[in-house]
Each structure stands twice: as C-alpha cells, then as structure tokens.
Amino acid sequence: MKILCIGRNYADHIAELQNEVPDEPVIFLKPDTALIKNNDPFYYPDFTQEIHHELEIILRISKEGKNIQPKFAANYFDAIGLGIDFTARDLQSKAKSKGLPWDLAKGFNGSAPVSEFLPLTDYPDLKNINFILRLNQEIKQQGNTSLMLHPFENIISYISRFILLKKGDIIFTGTPKGVGPVKIGDRLEGFIEDKKVLDFEIK
C-alpha cells in the first residue's frame, strides 16, 4: 500500500509557514514503515530536535483506479479517519534551504500514526467535517473540511492522473493551522466531530 499526502491544502496553514499558495496540489509520499496503528506510542527519534504535529483527515482507497474524473471520485474511497503527519521541521527546513527533496523529514519510521477508519455513511456531508487535535488536553489544531483548497474528489482525481490508486492506499488530505512541536511525555488526542479516534503518547 501507499501513503499519499497533500501539502498546502489549507490557506491558514500556508500563511503560518509563509509558503506560497500552489496552483495545483502538492503531493509527497511516505513509506508503509511510517505507519503507526492502534494508538501505539510514537518514539522520538535521535536525528531531529524539532518534530511538529500536523493533524489531517485521511481517506482509505477502496478500489483500483487511474485518471479518475472528480465526479466519479466518491466511488473510490469508502472510509475516513485521522492521521498525524509528523514532520522533522529542522530537517525539512535544511533541505528546503538547499532546494533539495525533504523525503526524510516526512517519511521516517513512525511518522504517520493513523486512527481506525470510519464509514462514510457516518458523515452525510463530507465538505463539513470538524476535526481537532489536543496536545496534553489543550486544543492545538482544529479544522473543517469546508476550508480545503482542494476537496477530496479533486485530490483523488489529481493524484490518479500520475499514480495508480489501489485498494488499501491511504491519502492524507492536508493540515489546518496550529502545527507545532511535540516532546517526549506529550499525549495527543484526535477527534472527528465529537468522536475520539486517536489517543497516544510520545516516548
């Protein structure tokens, strides 16, 4: 399976990192070794001093497809959840300053904790879903899918022009503002509406 991620999909997050607004979705990938499931702890690696949390709605691809038109994209995913796109910001900043790829800053082991997946039938309006991240019981990020620059169907359509989507692939759909550092001993909790779906510690 593949983990496909969208960068710069919320205007307020683009502004907080002082990035340019892209004309098209920004795509990057994480390896399957980035996954953490079942609320297992995240172990802070020794190659970075600055890991940031980035909370995102994730999609589960339910069947194979390529060159998918936006109007048909809803047929290609069957569930949503929450994921954390852990980012080694110091490594990313160093790579960006040299014009180099920043795969290691996003794709290191354990950089993609994900929740259980919830059926789409639980969410009649996919363009109005609230989600929240609490860090040590304090709200740090809150978003709503209505604020996406590229909605789910456009993301799926765009990626499928270049990369064949297969059943079981996961798409991270972008983070709202409020990204920030985590440290050993922190506890992260993620909510979709009022349902807690993530709850794990940094060790």
Side-chain angles (χ1 to χ4, degrees), residues 103-156:
D103 299 60
L104 295 181
K106 291 279 193 179
F108 56 87
N109 294 335
S111 62
V114 298
S115 73
E116 63 180 309
F117 282 96
L118 306 170
L120 296 184
T121 50
D122 289 354
Y123 303 96
D125 185 0
L126 295 178
K127 294 183 178 178
N128 184 26
I129 298 174
N130 294 296
F131 57 106
I132 290 174
L133 177 71
R134 288 182 181 168
L135 176 64
N136 301 327
Q137 301 186 334
E138 179 183 351
I139 293 176
K140 289 293 186 179
Q141 289 188 268
Q142 47 189 334
N144 184 285
T145 53
S146 66
L147 300 175
M148 287 181 166
L149 300 179
H150 306 285
F152 296 156
E153 60 269 22
N154 289 7
I155 291 170
I156 288 173

Side-chain angles (χ1 to χ4, degrees), residues 2 4 64-67 159-166 169:
K2 302 182 290 294
L4 300 133
E64 186 172 300
K66 63 179 179 179
N67 295 315
I159 292 175
S160 72
R161 288 173 54 196
F162 305 91
I163 299 173
L164 176 70
L165 294 175
K166 291 188 174 183
D169 288 348

Side-chain angles (χ1 to χ4, degrees), residues 11-23:
D12 52 4
H13 173 60
I14 294 172
E16 74 176 346
L17 292 188
Q18 299 180 336
N19 288 322
E20 295 182 3
V21 177
D23 295 327

Side-chain angles (χ1 to χ4, degrees), residues 39-144:
N39 285 317
D40 287 345
F42 171 78
Y43 290 91
Y44 205 111
D46 60 5
F47 50 74
T48 175
Q49 303 298 316
E50 187 183 12
I51 289 184
H52 282 198
H53 58 76
E54 299 189 8
L55 179 70
E56 313 197 10
I57 294 284
I58 58 175
L59 312 179
R60 182 177 68 189
I61 298 300
S62 56
K63 67 177 181 178
E64 186 172 300
K66 63 179 179 179
N67 295 315
I68 301 164
Q69 296 181 42
K71 64 181 178 181
F72 299 127
N75 299 324
Y76 288 84
F77 70 105
D78 63 356
I80 66 170
L82 281 183
I84 304 286
D85 168 21
F86 276 134
T87 303
R89 193 71 72 201
D90 49 356
L91 300 187
Q92 185 187 41
S93 297
K94 181 179 179 180
K96 287 171 67 175
S97 71
K98 297 180 179 180
L100 297 173
W102 28 265
D103 299 60
L104 295 181
K106 291 279 193 179
F108 56 87
N109 294 335
S111 62
V114 298
S115 73
E116 63 180 309
F117 282 96
L118 306 170
L120 296 184
T121 50
D122 289 354
Y123 303 96
D125 185 0
L126 295 178
K127 294 183 178 178
N128 184 26
I129 298 174
N130 294 296
F131 57 106
I132 290 174
L133 177 71
R134 288 182 181 168
L135 176 64
N136 301 327
Q137 301 186 334
E138 179 183 351
I139 293 176
K140 289 293 186 179
Q141 289 188 268
Q142 47 189 334
N144 184 285

